[in-house]
Structure formats: structure tokens, C-alpha cells
PDB file of all heavy atoms in Angstrom:
ATOM      1  N   PHE A   1       1.977-102.357 -33.870  1.00 98.00           N
ATOM      2  CA  PHE A   1       2.427-100.964 -33.920  1.00 98.00           C
ATOM      3  C   PHE A   1       1.912-100.207 -32.707  1.00 98.00           C
ATOM      4  O   PHE A   1       2.678 -99.476 -32.044  1.00 98.00           O
ATOM      5  CB  PHE A   1       1.939-100.305 -35.209  1.00 98.00           C
ATOM      6  CG  PHE A   1       2.366 -98.869 -35.371  1.00 98.00           C
ATOM      7  CD1 PHE A   1       3.566 -98.551 -35.965  1.00 98.00           C
ATOM      8  CD2 PHE A   1       1.549 -97.834 -34.925  1.00 98.00           C
ATOM      9  CE1 PHE A   1       3.964 -97.223 -36.111  1.00 98.00           C
ATOM     10  CE2 PHE A   1       1.929 -96.510 -35.063  1.00 98.00           C
ATOM     11  CZ  PHE A   1       3.144 -96.206 -35.659  1.00 98.00           C
ATOM     12  N   ASP A   2       0.632-100.338 -32.420  1.00 98.00           N
ATOM     13  CA  ASP A   2       0.058 -99.630 -31.277  1.00 98.00           C
ATOM     14  C   ASP A   2       0.749-100.034 -29.979  1.00 98.00           C
ATOM     15  O   ASP A   2       1.060 -99.183 -29.127  1.00 98.00           O
ATOM     16  CB  ASP A   2      -1.436 -99.919 -31.182  1.00 98.00           C
ATOM     17  CG  ASP A   2      -2.220 -99.378 -32.373  1.00 98.00           C
ATOM     18  OD1 ASP A   2      -1.691 -98.497 -33.076  1.00 98.00           O
ATOM     19  OD2 ASP A   2      -3.342 -99.853 -32.602  1.00 98.00           O
ATOM     20  N   ALA A   3       1.002-101.328 -29.818  1.00 98.00           N
ATOM     21  CA  ALA A   3       1.655-101.803 -28.598  1.00 98.00           C
ATOM     22  C   ALA A   3       3.080-101.284 -28.500  1.00 98.00           C
ATOM     23  O   ALA A   3       3.553-100.914 -27.413  1.00 98.00           O
ATOM     24  CB  ALA A   3       1.639-103.329 -28.565  1.00 98.00           C
ATOM     25  N   LEU A   4       3.787-101.239 -29.650  1.00 98.00           N
ATOM     26  CA  LEU A   4       5.169-100.770 -29.647  1.00 98.00           C
ATOM     27  C   LEU A   4       5.246 -99.314 -29.229  1.00 98.00           C
ATOM     28  O   LEU A   4       6.054 -98.943 -28.356  1.00 98.00           O
ATOM     29  CB  LEU A   4       5.783-100.961 -31.033  1.00 98.00           C
ATOM     30  CG  LEU A   4       7.181-100.359 -31.238  1.00 98.00           C
ATOM     31  CD1 LEU A   4       8.191-101.005 -30.290  1.00 98.00           C
ATOM     32  CD2 LEU A   4       7.637-100.523 -32.687  1.00 98.00           C
ATOM     33  N   LEU A   5       4.422 -98.447 -29.825  1.00 98.00           N
ATOM     34  CA  LEU A   5       4.507 -97.030 -29.490  1.00 98.00           C
ATOM     35  C   LEU A   5       4.075 -96.764 -28.058  1.00 98.00           C
ATOM     36  O   LEU A   5       4.649 -95.896 -27.382  1.00 98.00           O
ATOM     37  CB  LEU A   5       3.682 -96.197 -30.484  1.00 98.00           C
ATOM     38  CG  LEU A   5       4.522 -95.634 -31.646  1.00 98.00           C
ATOM     39  CD1 LEU A   5       5.098 -96.749 -32.500  1.00 98.00           C
ATOM     40  CD2 LEU A   5       3.750 -94.637 -32.472  1.00 98.00           C
ATOM     41  N   GLU A   6       3.113 -97.536 -27.562  1.00 97.00           N
ATOM     42  CA  GLU A   6       2.734 -97.378 -26.159  1.00 97.00           C
ATOM     43  C   GLU A   6       3.889 -97.761 -25.241  1.00 97.00           C
ATOM     44  O   GLU A   6       4.156 -97.076 -24.236  1.00 97.00           O
ATOM     45  CB  GLU A   6       1.508 -98.240 -25.859  1.00 97.00           C
ATOM     46  CG  GLU A   6       1.000 -98.081 -24.433  1.00 97.00           C
ATOM     47  CD  GLU A   6      -0.250 -98.907 -24.158  1.00 97.00           C
ATOM     48  OE1 GLU A   6      -0.769 -99.530 -25.106  1.00 97.00           O
ATOM     49  OE2 GLU A   6      -0.694 -98.935 -22.993  1.00 97.00           O
ATOM     50  N   SER A   7       4.609 -98.799 -25.609  1.00 98.00           N
ATOM     51  CA  SER A   7       5.735 -99.224 -24.771  1.00 98.00           C
ATOM     52  C   SER A   7       6.876 -98.216 -24.825  1.00 98.00           C
ATOM     53  O   SER A   7       7.548 -97.972 -23.813  1.00 98.00           O
ATOM     54  CB  SER A   7       6.226-100.605 -25.203  1.00 98.00           C
ATOM     55  OG  SER A   7       6.866-100.563 -26.472  1.00 98.00           O
ATOM     56  N   LEU A   8       7.103 -97.614 -26.010  1.00 97.00           N
ATOM     57  CA  LEU A   8       8.180 -96.625 -26.128  1.00 97.00           C
ATOM     58  C   LEU A   8       7.867 -95.372 -25.331  1.00 97.00           C
ATOM     59  O   LEU A   8       8.781 -94.675 -24.863  1.00 97.00           O
ATOM     60  CB  LEU A   8       8.405 -96.268 -27.603  1.00 97.00           C
ATOM     61  CG  LEU A   8       8.974 -97.382 -28.487  1.00 97.00           C
ATOM     62  CD1 LEU A   8       9.052 -96.931 -29.943  1.00 97.00           C
ATOM     63  CD2 LEU A   8      10.356 -97.807 -27.992  1.00 97.00           C
ATOM     64  N   ASP A   9       6.589 -95.055 -25.185  1.00 96.00           N
ATOM     65  CA  ASP A   9       6.209 -93.900 -24.376  1.00 96.00           C
ATOM     66  C   ASP A   9       6.545 -94.154 -22.907  1.00 96.00           C
ATOM     67  O   ASP A   9       6.926 -93.233 -22.174  1.00 96.00           O
ATOM     68  CB  ASP A   9       4.718 -93.628 -24.547  1.00 96.00           C
ATOM     69  CG  ASP A   9       4.305 -92.275 -23.994  1.00 96.00           C
ATOM     70  OD1 ASP A   9       5.179 -91.388 -23.876  1.00 96.00           O
ATOM     71  OD2 ASP A   9       3.117 -92.089 -23.692  1.00 96.00           O
ATOM     72  N   GLU A  10       6.429 -95.405 -22.486  1.00 96.00           N
ATOM     73  CA  GLU A  10       6.692 -95.751 -21.092  1.00 96.00           C
ATOM     74  C   GLU A  10       8.152 -96.106 -20.855  1.00 96.00           C
ATOM     75  O   GLU A  10       8.742 -95.719 -19.834  1.00 96.00           O
ATOM     76  CB  GLU A  10       5.804 -96.935 -20.680  1.00 96.00           C
ATOM     77  CG  GLU A  10       4.323 -96.641 -20.711  1.00 96.00           C
ATOM     78  CD  GLU A  10       3.909 -95.592 -19.701  1.00 96.00           C
ATOM     79  OE1 GLU A  10       4.563 -95.509 -18.641  1.00 96.00           O
ATOM     80  OE2 GLU A  10       2.952 -94.848 -19.973  1.00 96.00           O
ATOM     81  N   SER A  11       8.759 -96.838 -21.827  1.00 97.00           N
ATOM     82  CA  SER A  11      10.117 -97.360 -21.619  1.00 97.00           C
ATOM     83  C   SER A  11      10.924 -97.234 -22.919  1.00 97.00           C
ATOM     84  O   SER A  11      10.901 -98.145 -23.760  1.00 97.00           O
ATOM     85  CB  SER A  11      10.067 -98.828 -21.178  1.00 97.00           C
ATOM     86  OG  SER A  11       9.313 -98.994 -20.002  1.00 97.00           O
ATOM     87  N   PRO A  12      11.625 -96.127 -23.127  1.00 97.00           N
ATOM     88  CA  PRO A  12      12.456 -95.973 -24.324  1.00 97.00           C
ATOM     89  C   PRO A  12      13.504 -97.071 -24.417  1.00 97.00           C
ATOM     90  O   PRO A  12      13.899 -97.671 -23.407  1.00 97.00           O
ATOM     91  CB  PRO A  12      13.098 -94.591 -24.126  1.00 97.00           C
ATOM     92  CG  PRO A  12      12.146 -93.868 -23.211  1.00 97.00           C
ATOM     93  CD  PRO A  12      11.611 -94.930 -22.283  1.00 97.00           C
ATOM     94  N   ILE A  13      13.958 -97.330 -25.654  1.00 98.00           N
ATOM     95  CA  ILE A  13      14.931 -98.408 -25.886  1.00 98.00           C
ATOM     96  C   ILE A  13      16.241 -97.823 -26.395  1.00 98.00           C
ATOM     97  O   ILE A  13      16.270 -96.726 -26.955  1.00 98.00           O
ATOM     98  CB  ILE A  13      14.385 -99.433 -26.906  1.00 98.00           C
ATOM     99  CG1 ILE A  13      14.072 -98.744 -28.237  1.00 98.00           C
ATOM    100  CG2 ILE A  13      13.159-100.137 -26.353  1.00 98.00           C
ATOM    101  CD1 ILE A  13      13.630 -99.701 -29.332  1.00 98.00           C
ATOM    102  N   PRO A  14      17.354 -98.532 -26.208  1.00 96.00           N
ATOM    103  CA  PRO A  14      18.660 -98.009 -26.662  1.00 96.00           C
ATOM    104  C   PRO A  14      18.699 -97.806 -28.172  1.00 96.00           C
ATOM    105  O   PRO A  14      18.025 -98.500 -28.946  1.00 96.00           O
ATOM    106  CB  PRO A  14      19.637 -99.106 -26.225  1.00 96.00           C
ATOM    107  CG  PRO A  14      18.923 -99.880 -25.168  1.00 96.00           C
ATOM    108  CD  PRO A  14      17.471 -99.831 -25.523  1.00 96.00           C
ATOM    109  N   SER A  15      19.529 -96.823 -28.584  1.00 95.00           N
ATOM    110  CA  SER A  15      19.664 -96.534 -30.021  1.00 95.00           C
ATOM    111  C   SER A  15      21.111 -96.690 -30.464  1.00 95.00           C
ATOM    112  O   SER A  15      21.499 -97.693 -31.036  1.00 95.00           O
ATOM    113  CB  SER A  15      19.148 -95.129 -30.329  1.00 95.00           C
ATOM    114  OG  SER A  15      19.882 -94.152 -29.600  1.00 95.00           O
ATOM    115  N   ALA A  16      21.932 -95.695 -30.200  1.00 92.00           N
ATOM    116  CA  ALA A  16      23.333 -95.722 -30.601  1.00 92.00           C
ATOM    117  C   ALA A  16      24.152 -95.017 -29.526  1.00 92.00           C
ATOM    118  O   ALA A  16      23.640 -94.180 -28.774  1.00 92.00           O
ATOM    119  CB  ALA A  16      23.510 -95.033 -31.948  1.00 92.00           C
ATOM    120  N   GLU A  17      25.434 -95.342 -29.477  1.00 91.00           N
ATOM    121  CA  GLU A  17      26.308 -94.763 -28.452  1.00 91.00           C
ATOM    122  C   GLU A  17      26.322 -93.241 -28.565  1.00 91.00           C
ATOM    123  O   GLU A  17      26.504 -92.681 -29.640  1.00 91.00           O
ATOM    124  CB  GLU A  17      27.722 -95.308 -28.610  1.00 91.00           C
ATOM    125  CG  GLU A  17      28.681 -94.834 -27.526  1.00 91.00           C
ATOM    126  CD  GLU A  17      30.071 -95.424 -27.663  1.00 91.00           C
ATOM    127  OE1 GLU A  17      30.251 -96.282 -28.567  1.00 91.00           O
ATOM    128  OE2 GLU A  17      30.963 -95.022 -26.886  1.00 91.00           O
ATOM    129  N   GLY A  18      26.105 -92.586 -27.444  1.00 92.00           N
ATOM    130  CA  GLY A  18      26.135 -91.140 -27.409  1.00 92.00           C
ATOM    131  C   GLY A  18      24.855 -90.472 -27.876  1.00 92.00           C
ATOM    132  O   GLY A  18      24.766 -89.245 -27.892  1.00 92.00           O
ATOM    133  N   ARG A  19      23.859 -91.264 -28.228  1.00 95.00           N
ATOM    134  CA  ARG A  19      22.586 -90.714 -28.708  1.00 95.00           C
ATOM    135  C   ARG A  19      21.468 -91.080 -27.738  1.00 95.00           C
ATOM    136  O   ARG A  19      21.576 -92.020 -26.968  1.00 95.00           O
ATOM    137  CB  ARG A  19      22.253 -91.243 -30.106  1.00 95.00           C
ATOM    138  CG  ARG A  19      23.299 -90.962 -31.179  1.00 95.00           C
ATOM    139  CD  ARG A  19      23.465 -89.461 -31.452  1.00 95.00           C
ATOM    140  NE  ARG A  19      22.210 -88.809 -31.735  1.00 95.00           N
ATOM    141  CZ  ARG A  19      21.543 -88.895 -32.907  1.00 95.00           C
ATOM    142  NH1 ARG A  19      22.025 -89.656 -33.888  1.00 95.00           N
ATOM    143  NH2 ARG A  19      20.417 -88.232 -33.091  1.00 95.00           N
ATOM    144  N   PRO A  20      20.364 -90.347 -27.784  1.00 95.00           N
ATOM    145  CA  PRO A  20      19.291 -90.622 -26.824  1.00 95.00           C
ATOM    146  C   PRO A  20      18.598 -91.953 -27.110  1.00 95.00           C
ATOM    147  O   PRO A  20      18.635 -92.466 -28.239  1.00 95.00           O
ATOM    148  CB  PRO A  20      18.327 -89.447 -27.042  1.00 95.00           C
ATOM    149  CG  PRO A  20      18.569 -89.024 -28.446  1.00 95.00           C
ATOM    150  CD  PRO A  20      20.049 -89.218 -28.673  1.00 95.00           C
ATOM    151  N   ASP A  21      17.999 -92.516 -26.084  1.00 97.00           N
ATOM    152  CA  ASP A  21      17.163 -93.688 -26.296  1.00 97.00           C
ATOM    153  C   ASP A  21      15.974 -93.319 -27.186  1.00 97.00           C
ATOM    154  O   ASP A  21      15.539 -92.161 -27.217  1.00 97.00           O
ATOM    155  CB  ASP A  21      16.651 -94.231 -24.959  1.00 97.00           C
ATOM    156  CG  ASP A  21      17.760 -94.857 -24.126  1.00 97.00           C
ATOM    157  OD1 ASP A  21      18.845 -95.130 -24.678  1.00 97.00           O
ATOM    158  OD2 ASP A  21      17.540 -95.050 -22.906  1.00 97.00           O
ATOM    159  N   VAL A  22      15.460 -94.303 -27.875  1.00 98.00           N
ATOM    160  CA  VAL A  22      14.305 -94.075 -28.752  1.00 98.00           C
ATOM    161  C   VAL A  22      13.040 -94.065 -27.908  1.00 98.00           C
ATOM    162  O   VAL A  22      12.632 -95.089 -27.360  1.00 98.00           O
ATOM    163  CB  VAL A  22      14.227 -95.147 -29.856  1.00 98.00           C
ATOM    164  CG1 VAL A  22      12.926 -95.021 -30.639  1.00 98.00           C
ATOM    165  CG2 VAL A  22      15.416 -95.019 -30.800  1.00 98.00           C
ATOM    166  N   ASN A  23      12.441 -92.884 -27.820  1.00 97.00           N
ATOM    167  CA  ASN A  23      11.194 -92.714 -27.094  1.00 97.00           C
ATOM    168  C   ASN A  23      10.059 -92.519 -28.092  1.00 97.00           C
ATOM    169  O   ASN A  23      10.228 -92.686 -29.299  1.00 97.00           O
ATOM    170  CB  ASN A  23      11.304 -91.536 -26.117  1.00 97.00           C
ATOM    171  CG  ASN A  23      11.621 -90.229 -26.832  1.00 97.00           C
ATOM    172  OD1 ASN A  23      11.649 -90.166 -28.065  1.00 97.00           O
ATOM    173  ND2 ASN A  23      11.876 -89.181 -26.071  1.00 97.00           N
ATOM    174  N   LEU A  24       8.894 -92.137 -27.611  1.00 97.00           N
ATOM    175  CA  LEU A  24       7.744 -91.956 -28.496  1.00 97.00           C
ATOM    176  C   LEU A  24       7.988 -90.835 -29.503  1.00 97.00           C
ATOM    177  O   LEU A  24       7.627 -90.953 -30.684  1.00 97.00           O
ATOM    178  CB  LEU A  24       6.492 -91.658 -27.662  1.00 97.00           C
ATOM    179  CG  LEU A  24       5.188 -91.477 -28.440  1.00 97.00           C
ATOM    180  CD1 LEU A  24       4.843 -92.716 -29.234  1.00 97.00           C
ATOM    181  CD2 LEU A  24       4.047 -91.097 -27.494  1.00 97.00           C
ATOM    182  N   GLU A  25       8.611 -89.732 -29.072  1.00 97.00           N
ATOM    183  CA  GLU A  25       8.861 -88.609 -29.971  1.00 97.00           C
ATOM    184  C   GLU A  25       9.749 -89.021 -31.144  1.00 97.00           C
ATOM    185  O   GLU A  25       9.453 -88.722 -32.308  1.00 97.00           O
ATOM    186  CB  GLU A  25       9.517 -87.453 -29.200  1.00 97.00           C
ATOM    187  CG  GLU A  25       9.797 -86.237 -30.075  1.00 97.00           C
ATOM    188  CD  GLU A  25      10.450 -85.106 -29.307  1.00 97.00           C
ATOM    189  OE1 GLU A  25      11.222 -85.387 -28.358  1.00 97.00           O
ATOM    190  OE2 GLU A  25      10.188 -83.947 -29.648  1.00 97.00           O
ATOM    191  N   ILE A  26      10.848 -89.704 -30.867  1.00 98.00           N
ATOM    192  CA  ILE A  26      11.761 -90.136 -31.925  1.00 98.00           C
ATOM    193  C   ILE A  26      11.072 -91.134 -32.843  1.00 98.00           C
ATOM    194  O   ILE A  26      11.222 -91.075 -34.079  1.00 98.00           O
ATOM    195  CB  ILE A  26      13.043 -90.716 -31.322  1.00 98.00           C
ATOM    196  CG1 ILE A  26      13.880 -89.602 -30.671  1.00 98.00           C
ATOM    197  CG2 ILE A  26      13.869 -91.461 -32.368  1.00 98.00           C
ATOM    198  CD1 ILE A  26      15.120 -90.090 -29.945  1.00 98.00           C
ATOM    199  N   ALA A  27      10.310 -92.042 -32.273  1.00 98.00           N
ATOM    200  CA  ALA A  27       9.603 -93.030 -33.096  1.00 98.00           C
ATOM    201  C   ALA A  27       8.622 -92.348 -34.043  1.00 98.00           C
ATOM    202  O   ALA A  27       8.550 -92.684 -35.239  1.00 98.00           O
ATOM    203  CB  ALA A  27       8.875 -94.026 -32.198  1.00 98.00           C
ATOM    204  N   ILE A  28       7.855 -91.378 -33.552  1.00 98.00           N
ATOM    205  CA  ILE A  28       6.891 -90.662 -34.398  1.00 98.00           C
ATOM    206  C   ILE A  28       7.606 -89.942 -35.534  1.00 98.00           C
ATOM    207  O   ILE A  28       7.184 -90.008 -36.701  1.00 98.00           O
ATOM    208  CB  ILE A  28       6.073 -89.674 -33.545  1.00 98.00           C
ATOM    209  CG1 ILE A  28       5.091 -90.432 -32.657  1.00 98.00           C
ATOM    210  CG2 ILE A  28       5.346 -88.667 -34.424  1.00 98.00           C
ATOM    211  CD1 ILE A  28       4.384 -89.551 -31.649  1.00 98.00           C
ATOM    212  N   ASN A  29       8.688 -89.249 -35.215  1.00 97.00           N
ATOM    213  CA  ASN A  29       9.436 -88.545 -36.262  1.00 97.00           C
ATOM    214  C   ASN A  29       9.939 -89.518 -37.328  1.00 97.00           C
ATOM    215  O   ASN A  29       9.904 -89.226 -38.526  1.00 97.00           O
ATOM    216  CB  ASN A  29      10.615 -87.790 -35.652  1.00 97.00           C
ATOM    217  CG  ASN A  29      10.183 -86.649 -34.756  1.00 97.00           C
ATOM    218  OD1 ASN A  29       9.074 -86.121 -34.890  1.00 97.00           O
ATOM    219  ND2 ASN A  29      11.043 -86.267 -33.827  1.00 97.00           N
ATOM    220  N   GLY A  30      10.432 -90.671 -36.906  1.00 98.00           N
ATOM    221  CA  GLY A  30      10.929 -91.658 -37.849  1.00 98.00           C
ATOM    222  C   GLY A  30       9.836 -92.197 -38.747  1.00 98.00           C
ATOM    223  O   GLY A  30      10.035 -92.364 -39.958  1.00 98.00           O
ATOM    224  N   VAL A  31       8.669 -92.476 -38.179  1.00 98.00           N
ATOM    225  CA  VAL A  31       7.560 -92.988 -38.983  1.00 98.00           C
ATOM    226  C   VAL A  31       7.087 -91.915 -39.967  1.00 98.00           C
ATOM    227  O   VAL A  31       6.810 -92.210 -41.126  1.00 98.00           O
ATOM    228  CB  VAL A  31       6.408 -93.461 -38.073  1.00 98.00           C
ATOM    229  CG1 VAL A  31       5.203 -93.888 -38.919  1.00 98.00           C
ATOM    230  CG2 VAL A  31       6.863 -94.619 -37.197  1.00 98.00           C
ATOM    231  N   ILE A  32       6.988 -90.671 -39.519  1.00 97.00           N
ATOM    232  CA  ILE A  32       6.594 -89.584 -40.420  1.00 97.00           C
ATOM    233  C   ILE A  32       7.555 -89.492 -41.604  1.00 97.00           C
ATOM    234  O   ILE A  32       7.135 -89.352 -42.758  1.00 97.00           O
ATOM    235  CB  ILE A  32       6.538 -88.247 -39.655  1.00 97.00           C
ATOM    236  CG1 ILE A  32       5.309 -88.209 -38.748  1.00 97.00           C
ATOM    237  CG2 ILE A  32       6.522 -87.061 -40.616  1.00 97.00           C
ATOM    238  CD1 ILE A  32       5.239 -86.988 -37.859  1.00 97.00           C
ATOM    239  N   GLN A  33       8.849 -89.596 -41.329  1.00 97.00           N
ATOM    240  CA  GLN A  33       9.841 -89.537 -42.408  1.00 97.00           C
ATOM    241  C   GLN A  33       9.586 -90.629 -43.441  1.00 97.00           C
ATOM    242  O   GLN A  33       9.693 -90.408 -44.648  1.00 97.00           O
ATOM    243  CB  GLN A  33      11.242 -89.664 -41.815  1.00 97.00           C
ATOM    244  CG  GLN A  33      12.372 -89.827 -42.823  1.00 97.00           C
ATOM    245  CD  GLN A  33      12.672 -88.550 -43.602  1.00 97.00           C
ATOM    246  OE1 GLN A  33      11.897 -87.591 -43.579  1.00 97.00           O
ATOM    247  NE2 GLN A  33      13.792 -88.525 -44.299  1.00 97.00           N
ATOM    248  N   ALA A  34       9.213 -91.824 -42.983  1.00 97.00           N
ATOM    249  CA  ALA A  34       9.003 -92.946 -43.896  1.00 97.00           C
ATOM    250  C   ALA A  34       7.712 -92.817 -44.686  1.00 97.00           C
ATOM    251  O   ALA A  34       7.556 -93.461 -45.730  1.00 97.00           O
ATOM    252  CB  ALA A  34       8.996 -94.257 -43.114  1.00 97.00           C
ATOM    253  N   MET A  35       6.775 -91.987 -44.239  1.00 96.00           N
ATOM    254  CA  MET A  35       5.482 -91.879 -44.911  1.00 96.00           C
ATOM    255  C   MET A  35       5.534 -91.041 -46.183  1.00 96.00           C
ATOM    256  O   MET A  35       4.619 -91.089 -47.003  1.00 96.00           O
ATOM    257  CB  MET A  35       4.447 -91.272 -43.963  1.00 96.00           C
ATOM    258  CG  MET A  35       4.058 -92.188 -42.794  1.00 96.00           C
ATOM    259  SD  MET A  35       3.302 -93.751 -43.319  1.00 96.00           S
ATOM    260  CE  MET A  35       4.712 -94.867 -43.220  1.00 96.00           C
ATOM    261  N   TYR A  36       6.601 -90.269 -46.400  1.00 95.00           N
ATOM    262  CA  TYR A  36       6.647 -89.373 -47.563  1.00 95.00           C
ATOM    263  C   TYR A  36       6.672 -90.131 -48.882  1.00 95.00           C
ATOM    264  O   TYR A  36       6.251 -89.608 -49.911  1.00 95.00           O
ATOM    265  CB  TYR A  36       7.850 -88.434 -47.468  1.00 95.00           C
ATOM    266  CG  TYR A  36       7.620 -87.269 -46.540  1.00 95.00           C
ATOM    267  CD1 TYR A  36       8.054 -87.309 -45.220  1.00 95.00           C
ATOM    268  CD2 TYR A  36       6.954 -86.134 -46.970  1.00 95.00           C
ATOM    269  CE1 TYR A  36       7.833 -86.253 -44.361  1.00 95.00           C
ATOM    270  CE2 TYR A  36       6.732 -85.064 -46.121  1.00 95.00           C
ATOM    271  CZ  TYR A  36       7.170 -85.127 -44.818  1.00 95.00           C
ATOM    272  OH  TYR A  36       6.940 -84.077 -43.970  1.00 95.00           O
ATOM    273  N   THR A  37       7.191 -91.350 -48.892  1.00 93.00           N
ATOM    274  CA  THR A  37       7.255 -92.120 -50.122  1.00 93.00           C
ATOM    275  C   THR A  37       7.305 -93.604 -49.792  1.00 93.00           C
ATOM    276  O   THR A  37       7.912 -94.009 -48.783  1.00 93.00           O
ATOM    277  CB  THR A  37       8.476 -91.741 -50.976  1.00 93.00           C
ATOM    278  OG1 THR A  37       8.598 -92.661 -52.076  1.00 93.00           O
ATOM    279  CG2 THR A  37       9.760 -91.773 -50.177  1.00 93.00           C
ATOM    280  N   GLU A  38       6.677 -94.422 -50.636  1.00 94.00           N
ATOM    281  CA  GLU A  38       6.705 -95.871 -50.441  1.00 94.00           C
ATOM    282  C   GLU A  38       8.124 -96.426 -50.473  1.00 94.00           C
ATOM    283  O   GLU A  38       8.375 -97.526 -49.952  1.00 94.00           O
ATOM    284  CB  GLU A  38       5.873 -96.556 -51.521  1.00 94.00           C
ATOM    285  CG  GLU A  38       4.384 -96.535 -51.267  1.00 94.00           C
ATOM    286  CD  GLU A  38       3.632 -97.365 -52.298  1.00 94.00           C
ATOM    287  OE1 GLU A  38       3.496 -96.879 -53.440  1.00 94.00           O
ATOM    288  OE2 GLU A  38       3.194 -98.486 -51.961  1.00 94.00           O
ATOM    289  N   GLY A  39       9.050 -95.700 -51.073  1.00 95.00           N
ATOM    290  CA  GLY A  39      10.426 -96.168 -51.144  1.00 95.00           C
ATOM    291  C   GLY A  39      11.074 -96.368 -49.792  1.00 95.00           C
ATOM    292  O   GLY A  39      12.091 -97.075 -49.686  1.00 95.00           O
ATOM    293  N   ARG A  40      10.511 -95.770 -48.742  1.00 97.00           N
ATOM    294  CA  ARG A  40      11.083 -95.912 -47.392  1.00 97.00           C
ATOM    295  C   ARG A  40      10.345 -96.953 -46.561  1.00 97.00           C
ATOM    296  O   ARG A  40      10.696 -97.189 -45.406  1.00 97.00           O
ATOM    297  CB  ARG A  40      11.056 -94.559 -46.665  1.00 97.00           C
ATOM    298  CG  ARG A  40      11.884 -93.476 -47.350  1.00 97.00           C
ATOM    299  CD  ARG A  40      12.035 -92.253 -46.471  1.00 97.00           C
ATOM    300  NE  ARG A  40      12.754 -91.202 -47.175  1.00 97.00           N
ATOM    301  CZ  ARG A  40      12.259 -90.003 -47.462  1.00 97.00           C
ATOM    302  NH1 ARG A  40      11.048 -89.697 -47.064  1.00 97.00           N
ATOM    303  NH2 ARG A  40      12.968 -89.113 -48.120  1.00 97.00           N
ATOM    304  N   TRP A  41       9.301 -97.575 -47.113  1.00 97.00           N
ATOM    305  CA  TRP A  41       8.494 -98.467 -46.292  1.00 97.00           C
ATOM    306  C   TRP A  41       9.253 -99.723 -45.879  1.00 97.00           C
ATOM    307  O   TRP A  41       9.061-100.228 -44.772  1.00 97.00           O
ATOM    308  CB  TRP A  41       7.214 -98.842 -47.036  1.00 97.00           C
ATOM    309  CG  TRP A  41       6.231 -97.693 -47.091  1.00 97.00           C
ATOM    310  CD1 TRP A  41       6.465 -96.401 -46.733  1.00 97.00           C
ATOM    311  CD2 TRP A  41       4.873 -97.752 -47.518  1.00 97.00           C
ATOM    312  NE1 TRP A  41       5.342 -95.637 -46.918  1.00 97.00           N
ATOM    313  CE2 TRP A  41       4.345 -96.443 -47.405  1.00 97.00           C
ATOM    314  CE3 TRP A  41       4.051 -98.767 -47.998  1.00 97.00           C
ATOM    315  CZ2 TRP A  41       3.021 -96.141 -47.748  1.00 97.00           C
ATOM    316  CZ3 TRP A  41       2.741 -98.464 -48.330  1.00 97.00           C
ATOM    317  CH2 TRP A  41       2.230 -97.180 -48.209  1.00 97.00           C
ATOM    318  N   SER A  42      10.107-100.247 -46.738  1.00 98.00           N
ATOM    319  CA  SER A  42      10.855-101.447 -46.363  1.00 98.00           C
ATOM    320  C   SER A  42      11.804-101.151 -45.199  1.00 98.00           C
ATOM    321  O   SER A  42      11.975-101.985 -44.296  1.00 98.00           O
ATOM    322  CB  SER A  42      11.620-102.002 -47.563  1.00 98.00           C
ATOM    323  OG  SER A  42      12.536-101.044 -48.074  1.00 98.00           O
ATOM    324  N   ALA A  43      12.412 -99.956 -45.213  1.00 98.00           N
ATOM    325  CA  ALA A  43      13.276 -99.576 -44.091  1.00 98.00           C
ATOM    326  C   ALA A  43      12.470 -99.436 -42.810  1.00 98.00           C
ATOM    327  O   ALA A  43      12.934 -99.805 -41.718  1.00 98.00           O
ATOM    328  CB  ALA A  43      14.002 -98.272 -44.409  1.00 98.00           C
ATOM    329  N   LEU A  44      11.249 -98.925 -42.929  1.00 98.00           N
ATOM    330  CA  LEU A  44      10.410 -98.777 -41.738  1.00 98.00           C
ATOM    331  C   LEU A  44       9.998-100.139 -41.191  1.00 98.00           C
ATOM    332  O   LEU A  44       9.970-100.330 -39.966  1.00 98.00           O
ATOM    333  CB  LEU A  44       9.171 -97.947 -42.074  1.00 98.00           C
ATOM    334  CG  LEU A  44       8.188 -97.735 -40.919  1.00 98.00           C
ATOM    335  CD1 LEU A  44       8.860 -97.016 -39.756  1.00 98.00           C
ATOM    336  CD2 LEU A  44       6.953 -96.963 -41.386  1.00 98.00           C
ATOM    337  N   GLU A  45       9.685-101.098 -42.078  1.00 98.00           N
ATOM    338  CA  GLU A  45       9.348-102.449 -41.610  1.00 98.00           C
ATOM    339  C   GLU A  45      10.449-103.000 -40.703  1.00 98.00           C
ATOM    340  O   GLU A  45      10.190-103.504 -39.605  1.00 98.00           O
ATOM    341  CB  GLU A  45       9.183-103.397 -42.798  1.00 98.00           C
ATOM    342  CG  GLU A  45       8.028-103.128 -43.716  1.00 98.00           C
ATOM    343  CD  GLU A  45       8.091-104.030 -44.940  1.00 98.00           C
ATOM    344  OE1 GLU A  45       8.883-105.014 -44.904  1.00 98.00           O
ATOM    345  OE2 GLU A  45       7.388-103.774 -45.924  1.00 98.00           O
TER     346      GLU A  45
END
């Protein structure tokens, strides 16, 4: 996890057509969303 977020801060990765690449900000927001309930943990994995 630590290595992934460090890499996203340096080199964002493609997401979807017409949408921004996934950078550190988008990754953090996504992880925060998954933390609200264990029901989202499998999607986060």
C-alpha cells in the first residue's frame, strides 16, 4: 500500500476515458470512502 500511494504521487495511472488519471488525491478519496464500512473492503482489495 505504501509503495502504491508513493508511486501514484509521482506517476498517476489511467482510469477511464474522459476522466483524470488516478493520482494520490483520487486514491486517498477512494480509500476513505471504503473505510466507512467493512462492506466496501472487498471492493477496495
Side-chain angles (χ1 to χ4, degrees):
F1 181 88
D2 295 341
L4 173 62
L5 265 64
E6 183 178 355
S7 70
L8 292 176
D9 193 23
E10 296 295 329
S11 302
I13 59 176
S15 60
E17 184 178 355
R19 302 296 308 284
D21 290 345
V22 172
N23 59 6
L24 181 60
E25 180 180 32
I26 290 175
I28 288 172
N29 293 336
V31 175
I32 287 175
Q33 171 72 347
M35 291 299 99
Y36 281 96
T37 172
E38 280 186 285
R40 298 191 184 118
W41 287 10
S42 59
L44 179 60
E45 294 173 14

